[in-house]
């Protein structure tokens, strides 16, 4: 059903009016993009996007990503006009105010229909790549009958100029994600001025070079927009649709200039725009006829949803399989690991924790079909590939292993998109140092409250010869500072498996696993012969691995590869009659959440507390106090074999024990 | 002078032999790239690169960047063979061992001739863009007579696949940096396998789309390499030279495969390679004739250097100007600010610290011609442009302001390259939150011991409505964890100027200035009427801004916008008869470097210490102890006006004073 052009104009103007009025009321925000893209968005949402406002989480809906998240009023207007329960007109009236779901940038956790949090430029489009990957994978598993939808993106020049765009479109082009379509708001304006101030790129040629179909349209001509979208649908490649627009279209004196990008139009210009657009309605009022036209556009999606539900219900076995799969990992990671861990208890293994991670991933990937792994070109180093995970490629989307290429940020954002899509549980690897390259995507995993697991290996100077550019020093502690992110640094095979279980069983919290390059002895095993989720000692974040033999004077707290060092220190102390506990702290964040009694039991007030971690020390005072000792490395590393570096930086029992004794005597 | 082909083959094989032998001896490293690019590098270094091994820091030398830093043996071999004092053959023998300048990845601080530290992929090429910018700028200022050199890069597929490559080449193409030439080691291999495992991109087309000249050659055919390099020299655009190579060329059984990338060849394969290459010499031995050929190639650079020195010495006024400029900022920032700060003392200003930064940059950019500013498309928000800094553009390289575009990582790396080049002092702005996008380049500023100033505005929830994606929470503290980086968070106009002086006068330490979006009262002024460098109170990192009126019970320590809050808390406490100092701590790192007496005076043991900072609290225990109070925000922010957010998160005197009183009473 096509609505005639005059009415379409009014539908688009409803977006413009809501956007300019909401920004004005908030006295902050970005009217330029919603007004410029109102026409293209109206065509997309009313005629192409398959969605059901009454069922915003319908699994087979099209995904829509507003990558240019600063233009948030566009999606708020679209959701409201299309008939989503929220945002209400009052929500929009409270745009950017405390408590309104209409936040400055769209937040997935505030509104259904906002598929992902956007604003950090480039990441929306890159998350959309992940959504399109998830769609193709689930399609391969469950067929067109149950999974067959598109991923739509509106992106601006900023999204295209960011480095992550190169990574994202390279991946999408290579994987031939033809059901992904990007509408580029080609308004030739950035915050600083005209785009030609900072770029001369032929964007269309770049996309074509990366395996994309590219077309253009007049972003203010409904027929031309339809023509371009139809062309995109017909092409098997992912599509870039360059929508030539005038930023702030409708504000007669300001449109087309960079001042309309990120500031209210002002009362005078809004009055002028009302006249220019022929929009008589009061602020935050959409005339009934226009609202009715908008609401009518949801019909086709409602029908599609009903038909899909019929198909789902027609085959109860397929339905059960689908629903089980879409329900995610749940608490099934621990049972998947039980036998494996019990075996380890009986047969200890001295391996690097990156290898221990691979070993744990064996049963996990075998038993949990949602797990989709990958690495940013470090498969053999991150140990992320297992026998159960065949490559995911343009030739075979049923695979569960992604060769992401040398694209850390693109990988992380794609994983966010996969997790947001649902039905898949992504994990991916790179070196811990390169968390720096994808840090903001890790932050967005945490902010968006999704489960993504970062397998970050080579986690300290223990990687040795590659030197300071590759040796994490501040990374572990600085990742711990990201809210709602659990950073796990396990010390041996069993802890690694425990941390994997915890990481996967936290649906709203992402995880980092910081893993060693170098071999580590298995320190656990005793008491783990009947391991189960309830006996996951890492679950409290830290625990007493070894109790003092003699009267306890010292508590050594360590993580990862330094737990071995702490054990050696304890042995050295006890040789001298100084009782020392060793506490392994695989997850500082989980420990901090325990009650005071548990924390005081593990880290008692009456002992000298010593932290040992081959990284920066600041932050450890929280646990060992300013009267404790913080053993670590507060400078960059060096290039040498790992053992030499541990000696050089004093992370050895030989270097630490005398300091402890001095402290006790001081 | 051209050396005949048979001898050139031997020169290249010398690189191959040293590389495979050094990696073997170290039992780690990357032989594939040096062996594959040995032929192209031999042509480049012996016939094109203008350098003088006897004067490695000659200002007008060509710059050479091994962006594919893992192939570090290539540059070590080239430096040694060309006749640089270091590395010696013993240095190479100790490749990757503790204390050797031949580290796993090339480090600028270990060897002359290593222009920058590389290894983190993509950044070498992006730093080279900065070097090429610096060259063009200094050329515009000092003419061809004194500055007229090229920037050469060897990059691998990883460098080209990383997102930063898009940003870097976009900037270089837009700025028409025609004296930059990139030799791409087109070996079609990545760590995980063939490049077609993860990419289908037409790289040449992408570079062409970005304004680059592109040519190709057989990377093992000297004549063809020369032809391609000549073509690059003749073109006015930056050039990409695709050198089609066989990775590990010379290892007969392993060449061309991904296993030769990052592991020793093994004794058998090395023996086979010796036979295949006809290389009879013992490990770490280069036959005299081959070494003589190599050493002879430095002649033309020696002559060029001598001619340049003649030109320099021919005009003593020009020489003095040039040498003064190249000497850098030195200690001249403080004198440049004296009058400005003294004025502020008399005429206080309530402005945002981002505005205060702009005000300080006025006299700084006016008086220090080395300063080159810029912003990643947030000029009006970062307040980075001044009247003295005209745009740097392809039409006018004399300008001192760069519109970097929406390219944070590219900007940061370019600034590193500019600083490494010398003669310019770069500063650049973005939002503090987007330090996440360029974090590893900030780290490389610190690791490389160079002066770069990051102007990071909108530094807390105080930015208000843009919401959690834009509100730094963990950024300030996590940047503090980077070694050799000073993070400044000034509280008012005068501190902002003081921090600018400190930032610019630290030649081997980069700086972050974390600046507010919101207005802040001027708290300083008293005692600043005769301000000078010696009276820079920020220089000790923290100082008592206000002494307790009554008997001191509490010390409030705050940074940036929260110093105002601390002052309000102190007033509230003193109303109740509780004496409270207020300590402003604009730079935690500098304070930590002060002697114990000063630290104990500022943060005395006998007072309750309370930190107030609108960010994560972990890390503050170091200064306020576990018995102190850490007021901050340990969750993501929200979208609302700034005042509402400060109230919501309890960063107000009303919320804090009762907690302090409770603690005192507890």
């Amino acid at each position: 059903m096509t609505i005639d052009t005059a009415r379409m104009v009014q539908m688009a103007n409803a977006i413009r009016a809501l956007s300019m009025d909401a920004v004005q009321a908030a006295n902050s925000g970005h009217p330029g993009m919603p007004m410029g893209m109102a026409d293209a968005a109206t065509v997309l949402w009313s005629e192409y996007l398959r969605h059901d406002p009454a069922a915003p989480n319908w699994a087979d809906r099209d995904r829509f990503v507003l990558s240019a998240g600063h233009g948030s009023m566009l999606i708020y207007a679209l959701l409201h006009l299309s008939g989503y329960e929220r945002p209400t007109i009052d929500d929009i009236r409270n745009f950017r105010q405390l408590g309104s779901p209409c936040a400055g940038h769209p937040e997935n956790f505030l509104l259904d229909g906002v598929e992902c949090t956007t604003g950090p430029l480039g990441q929306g489009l890159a998350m959309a790549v992940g959504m399109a990957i998830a769609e193709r994978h689930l399609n391969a598993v469950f067929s067109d009958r149950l999974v067959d939808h598109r991923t739509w993106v509106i992106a601006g020049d900023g999204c295209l100029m960011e480095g992550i765009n190169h990574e994202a479109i390279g991946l999408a082009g290579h994987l031939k994600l033809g059901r992904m379509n990007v509408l580029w708001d080609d308004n030739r304006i950035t915050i600083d001025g005209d785009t030609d101030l900072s770029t001369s790129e032929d964007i269309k040629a770049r996309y074509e070079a990366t395996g994309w179909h590219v077309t253009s349209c007049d972003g203010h001509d409904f027929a031309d927009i339809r023509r371009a979208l139809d062309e995109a649908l017909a092409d098997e490649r992912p599509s870039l649709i360059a929508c030539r627009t005038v930023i702030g279209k409708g504000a007669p004196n300001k449109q087309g200039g960079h001042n309309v990008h990120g500031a209210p139009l002002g009362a005078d210009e809004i009055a002028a725009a009302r006249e220019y657009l022929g929009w008589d309605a009061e602020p935050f009022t959409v005339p009934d006829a226009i609202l009715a036209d908008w609401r009518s556009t949801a019909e086709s999606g409602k029908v599609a949803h009903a038909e899909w539900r019929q198909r789902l219900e027609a085959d109860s076995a397929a339905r059960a399989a689908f629903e089980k799969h879409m329900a995610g990992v749940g608490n099934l990671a621990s049972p998947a690991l039980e036998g494996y861990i019990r075996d380890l208890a009986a047969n200890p293994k001295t391996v690097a924790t990156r290898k221990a991670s691979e070993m744990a991933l064996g049963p996990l990937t075998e038993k949990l079909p949602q797990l989709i792994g990958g690495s940013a070109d470090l498969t053999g180093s991150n140990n992320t590939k297992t026998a159960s995970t065949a490559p995911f490629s343009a030739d075979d989307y049923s695979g569960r292993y992604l060769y992401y290429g040398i694209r850390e940020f693109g990988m992380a954002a794609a994983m966010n998109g996969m997790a947001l899509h649902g039905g898949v549980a992504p994990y991916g690897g790179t070196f811990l140092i390169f968390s720096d390259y994808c840090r903001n995507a890790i932050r967005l995993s945490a902010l968006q409250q999704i489960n993504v697991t970062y397998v970050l290996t080579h986690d300290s100077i223990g990687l040795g010869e590659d030197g300071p550019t590759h040796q994490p020093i501040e990374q572990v502690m600085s990742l711990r500072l990201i809210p709602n992110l659990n950073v796990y640094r396990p010390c041996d095979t069993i802890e690694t498996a425990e941390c994997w279980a915890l990481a996967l069983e936290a649906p709203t919290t992402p995880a980092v696993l910081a893993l060693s390059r170098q071999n580590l002895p298995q320190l656990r095993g005793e008491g783990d012969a009947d391991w189960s989720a309830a006996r996951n000692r890492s679950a409290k974040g830290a625990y007493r691995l070894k109790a003092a033999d003699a009267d306890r004077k010292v508590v050594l707290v360590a993580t990862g590869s330094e737990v071995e060092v702490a054990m050696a220190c304890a042995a050295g102390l006890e040789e001298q009659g100084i009782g020392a506990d060793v506490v392994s702290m695989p997850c500082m964040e989980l420990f901090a959440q325990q009650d005071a009694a548990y924390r005081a039991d593990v880290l008692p007030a009456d002992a000298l507390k010593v932290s040992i971690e081959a990284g920066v020390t600041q932050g450890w005072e929280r646990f060992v106090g300013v009267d404790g000792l913080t053993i670590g490395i507060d400078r960059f590393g060096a290039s040498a074999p790992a053992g030499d570096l541990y000696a050089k930086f004093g992370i050895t029992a030989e270097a630490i024990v005398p300091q402890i004794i001095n402290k006790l005597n001081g």
Side-chain angles (χ1 to χ4, degrees), chain A residues 443-460:
Chain A
R443 186 180 208 256
L444 281 192
S445 306
L447 177 59
Q448 294 183 101
Q449 303 170 18
I450 52 181
N451 186 270
V452 173
T453 306
Y454 295 90
V455 180
L456 302 179
T457 69
H458 296 61
D459 71 347
S460 76

Side-chain angles (χ1 to χ4, degrees), chain A residues 196-207:
Chain A
D196 63 13
L197 204 59
S198 59
T199 184
S200 314
E201 184 185 60
D202 180 344
I203 289 175
K204 296 176 198 170
R206 175 167 69 90
Y207 271 70

Side-chain angles (χ1 to χ4, degrees), chain A residues 318-388:
Chain A
R319 176 184 181 172
F322 180 74
E323 290 180 343
K324 183 179 176 204
H325 196 100
M326 296 301 289
V329 167
N331 291 320
L332 298 175
S334 295
L337 288 166
E338 261 181 26
Y340 163 70
I341 295 178
R342 292 174 183 185
D343 280 353
L344 282 175
N347 304 295
K349 298 273 192 305
T350 292
V351 294
T353 48
R354 63 181 169 133
K355 180 71 183 170
S357 168
E358 178 185 273
M359 289 156 57
L361 278 170
L364 287 170
T365 54
E366 188 190 335
K367 293 172 190 168
L368 301 171
Q370 297 94 340
L371 281 176
I372 296 196
S375 166
D377 198 46
L378 289 168
T379 295
S381 298
N382 301 144
N383 299 71
T384 34
K385 193 165 182 314
T386 68
S388 311

